Amino acid sequence: MHRPSFAPAALILTAWVAAPPSLAAQDTAATPHTLSVADYLDLESVGDPRLSPDGSQIVYTRRWVNKVEDRWSTALWIMNADGSKARFLVEGSNPRWSPNGDRILYSAQGEPKGSQVFVRWMDAEGATSQITRVTESPRMPQWSPDGRSIAFVSVVPAEAKWAIDMPRPPQGAKWTEAPRVVERLHYRQDRIGFTEPGFTHLFVVPADGGTPRQVTRGDWNVGTRFDGLVFGGGFDWTPDGTTIVFDGLKDESGDDVYRKSHIYAVDVASGDLRQVTSRPGFWGSPAVSPDGRTVAYSGFDSTTRTWAISDLWTIGLDGSNARNLTDELDRSPSQLTWAPDGSGVYFTAGNEGSINVFIASTRGGAQQVTEGTHVVSLVSLASVGRDLVGVGVRTDADELVDVVRYSLRQPGTITRLTDVNDDLLYGKTVGEVEEIWYTSSSDTRVQGWLVKPPNFDPSQTYPMIMEIHGGPFAMYNVAFNFMFQSFASKGYVVLYTNPRGSTGYGSEFMHGIDHAYPGVDYDDLMAGVDAAIAKGYIDTDRMYVGGCSGGGKLSSWVIGHTDRFAAAAVRCPVTNWMTMAGGSDVPYFSHSFFDKPFWEDPSQWLEHSSLMYVGNVTTPTIIMTGELDMRTPMPQSEDYYAALKMRGVPAKLLRFKGEFHGTGSKPSNYMRTILYMDSWYAQWTKQGKAAATLP
């Protein structure tokens, strides 16, 4: 359900306005001073900024909407380290500087098919070469320390093991294709589809191009996998270039193993392999120290809990002296990056809706480096004179994402280097975002935010949308949210909160829903609604609720337990845990929420399935799910929709074409998601009757 990641003349609706016109119909009439849904077509984003080894230049990925092909397009741009002279470089993504800065590698579409590795020389000529020409796309390419080779991970197809003696078809016959033979639990993945049998392994290829050489072999996978999901693999070279350290699980029964992995080291020349970690757990993201003696990695010990907070560990390359450097932080680290002198490991971590950069000393203990109510990343760093400079991306409630740089040794000002959306937001007023804290059951303190309409007037009343995040082990943050701002520009107040189960608030808070989801998180959501109403400007006859994935699960749960909302938009939900366990691409994750499998005791599974409470629902509901969804498959939505229709509850099912999990990977569908929700909400008031004639 989660992962991984993966947005004014205000219409004022007062309590006495019985039937406002459709908000969706007014979008095209919005003044230039408000953010409209159509502005999404002009939205851009930046990511993956990489400092050159000498710290003088930054290459980064720039992404924009391809309006004709209904997809996102990407290209590499380059600029001076101070943000000047930004210009287009080449089409592609995922850039990496060579060790001496004379070349970059990147990924782009190539022959014979799919994504391939390319190298561009950074001299005046700017020659570009396609390095790989493989049938299975290479992932996570990295330079060797001497710049002569590139390592990557790729799938090695497995041979079919079941052949039958079929008679030869007559000439011209059109026989049906043979069935897909499935013998593994994990045989599909959202956004990929049905996966062919195979295993992920490490390869190296000459940096000038040539035949890739397979380094690891066997019926097991390089790359830590969450419930069988393939995301590539975390690996790093030792400084002498003789060894690659990687995460994965060398276990031929790995298809039947959940949340188990180790760190390994493989000799690049011989393929000799050894296990570095011995502690049972879920370990990944290895990063080798500058002197090559120590490996930093993240993860958590084996546990029966539904989820756990990760720590940052170090261990000798020989497997000795494993140490937890962040046991007192109680926040999960990511983006591990060694300090050049080996004194510590930089990382990012989320805390109460913000994400900042920290450093963990090799002696133990973590300190925060950057400060601010924002989301900031650390993608790469370089020594520049006496300073150590980091680059990443930053966003907050008022500003869309841009590339930034900052000092890691003398933290202070974070300098914005790009302004890719200033033209989009020029002259537009966006909604103010107010942070709120409130008390829920068991005296639990919960954080949330209210996005107010532009030109907000506290003496007026406004309709409110509560949006619920997925995961459930995730965190709403303070980044700019296009959807929320779009709704605010239409006159809604948007409430979003981090109920128990959310990350960024410590283990105890996250474990509040352990083997009890949904549970107290419902209390936290309702307390958030009460806190918003207490502000005095919410029209309680026009309150709405929605969410996708885990948010779809909770929004369907909410309307089965209260009738206080005028309408709901349940998106890509889990409604029946028992069918979810067999129909999803994350079967073990589904089982992890319960003490026993349903064939031993179905009571807990039924108790926490929102389908079992559909008999209580009176709230008009739209259900929106991608037809290709393999995470929370369409039957989860169909069952809930059919039950609503049988009970006579106003309901519509929207089957989004071309979408896997979620309804917004294609730009047109992202806009449709907002506009269908807006149109549906505009039709209903709390009195339980339509505010306008249903289409």
Side-chain angles (χ1 to χ4, degrees), residues 305 473 500-501 506-517 519-521:
R305 289 188 178 276
F473 306 109
R500 272 171 280 188
S507 298
E508 182 179 354
F509 189 90
M510 188 181 69
H511 291 153
I513 62 168
D514 188 42
H515 291 190
Y517 169 63
V520 293
D521 41 358

Coordinates of all heavy atoms in Angstrom, one line a residue, residues 305 473 500-501 506-517 519-521:
R305 N 6.4 -7.3 14.9 CA 5.6 -6.1 14.7 C 5.3 -5.9 13.3 O 6.0 -6.3 12.4 CB 6.3 -4.9 15.3 CG 6.4 -4.9 16.8 CD 7.0 -3.6 17.3 NE 7.1 -3.5 18.7 CZ 6.1 -3.1 19.6 NH1 4.9 -2.9 19.1 NH2 6.3 -3.0 20.8
F473 N 2.2 3.2 7.2 CA 3.4 3.7 7.8 C 4.1 4.7 6.9 O 5.1 4.4 6.2 CB 4.3 2.5 8.2 CG 3.6 1.5 9.0 CD1 3.3 0.3 8.4 CD2 3.3 1.7 10.3 CE1 2.6 -0.7 9.2 CE2 2.6 0.8 11.0 CZ 2.2 -0.4 10.5
R500 N -1.9 8.1 14.5 CA -1.1 7.0 14.9 C -0.9 5.9 13.8 O -1.8 5.6 13.0 CB -1.7 6.4 16.2 CG -1.2 7.1 17.4 CD -1.9 6.6 18.7 NE -3.3 7.2 18.8 CZ -4.1 7.1 19.8 NH1 -3.7 6.3 20.9 NH2 -5.2 7.7 19.9
G501 N 0.3 5.4 13.8 CA 0.8 4.6 12.6 C 1.7 5.4 11.7 O 2.5 4.8 11.0
G506 N 8.2 8.7 16.3 CA 8.8 7.7 17.2 C 8.1 6.4 17.1 O 7.0 6.2 16.6
S507 N 8.7 5.4 17.8 CA 8.2 4.0 17.7 C 6.9 3.8 18.4 O 6.0 3.1 17.9 CB 9.3 3.1 18.4 OG 10.5 3.1 17.7
E508 N 6.7 4.4 19.6 CA 5.5 4.2 20.3 C 4.3 4.7 19.5 O 3.2 4.1 19.5 CB 5.6 4.9 21.7 CG 4.3 4.7 22.5 CD 4.4 5.4 23.9 OE1 5.5 5.9 24.2 OE2 3.4 5.3 24.6
F509 N 4.4 5.9 18.9 CA 3.3 6.5 18.1 C 3.0 5.6 16.9 O 1.9 5.3 16.6 CB 3.7 7.9 17.7 CG 2.6 8.7 17.0 CD1 1.8 9.5 17.8 CD2 2.4 8.6 15.7 CE1 0.8 10.2 17.2 CE2 1.4 9.4 15.1 CZ 0.6 10.2 15.8
M510 N 4.1 5.1 16.2 CA 3.9 4.3 15.1 C 3.3 2.9 15.4 O 2.4 2.4 14.7 CB 5.2 4.1 14.3 CG 5.1 3.4 13.0 SD 6.7 3.1 12.2 CE 7.4 1.9 13.3
H511 N 3.7 2.4 16.5 CA 3.2 1.1 16.9 C 1.8 1.1 17.5 O 1.2 0.1 17.9 CB 4.1 0.4 18.0 CG 5.4 0.0 17.4 ND1 6.6 0.0 18.1 CD2 5.8 -0.3 16.1 CE1 7.6 -0.4 17.3 NE2 7.1 -0.5 16.1
G512 N 1.2 2.3 17.6 CA -0.2 2.4 18.1 C -1.2 1.6 17.3 O -2.3 1.3 17.8
I513 N -0.9 1.3 16.0 CA -1.8 0.5 15.2 C -1.3 -0.9 15.0 O -1.8 -1.6 14.1 CB -2.2 1.2 13.9 CG1 -0.9 1.3 13.0 CG2 -2.8 2.5 14.1 CD1 -1.2 1.7 11.6
D514 N -0.3 -1.3 15.7 CA 0.3 -2.6 15.5 C -0.7 -3.7 15.7 O -1.3 -3.9 16.8 CB 1.5 -2.8 16.5 CG 2.3 -4.1 16.2 OD1 2.6 -4.3 15.0 OD2 2.6 -4.8 17.2
H515 N -0.9 -4.5 14.7 CA -1.9 -5.6 14.7 C -3.3 -5.0 15.0 O -4.2 -5.8 15.5 CB -1.5 -6.7 15.6 CG -0.3 -7.5 15.1 ND1 0.1 -8.7 15.7 CD2 0.5 -7.2 14.1 CE1 1.1 -9.1 15.1 NE2 1.4 -8.3 14.1
A516 N -3.6 -3.8 14.7 CA -4.9 -3.2 15.1 C -5.1 -2.0 14.1 O -5.2 -0.8 14.5 CB -4.9 -2.7 16.5
Y517 N -5.2 -2.3 12.8 CA -5.4 -1.3 11.8 C -6.6 -1.7 10.9 O -6.6 -2.7 10.4 CB -4.1 -1.2 10.9 CG -4.2 -0.4 9.7 CD1 -4.5 0.9 9.7 CD2 -4.0 -1.0 8.4 CE1 -4.5 1.7 8.6 CE2 -4.1 -0.3 7.3 CZ -4.4 1.1 7.3 OH -4.4 1.8 6.2
G519 N -7.8 1.4 13.7 CA -8.0 1.3 15.2 C -8.0 2.7 15.8 O -8.9 3.5 15.4
V520 N -7.0 3.0 16.6 CA -6.9 4.3 17.2 C -6.7 5.4 16.2 O -6.9 6.6 16.5 CB -5.9 4.3 18.4 CG1 -6.3 3.4 19.5 CG2 -4.5 3.9 17.8
D521 N -6.2 5.0 15.0 CA -6.0 6.0 14.0 C -7.3 6.7 13.6 O -7.4 7.9 13.3 CB -5.3 5.5 12.8 CG -5.8 4.1 12.4 OD1 -6.7 3.5 13.1 OD2 -5.3 3.6 11.4

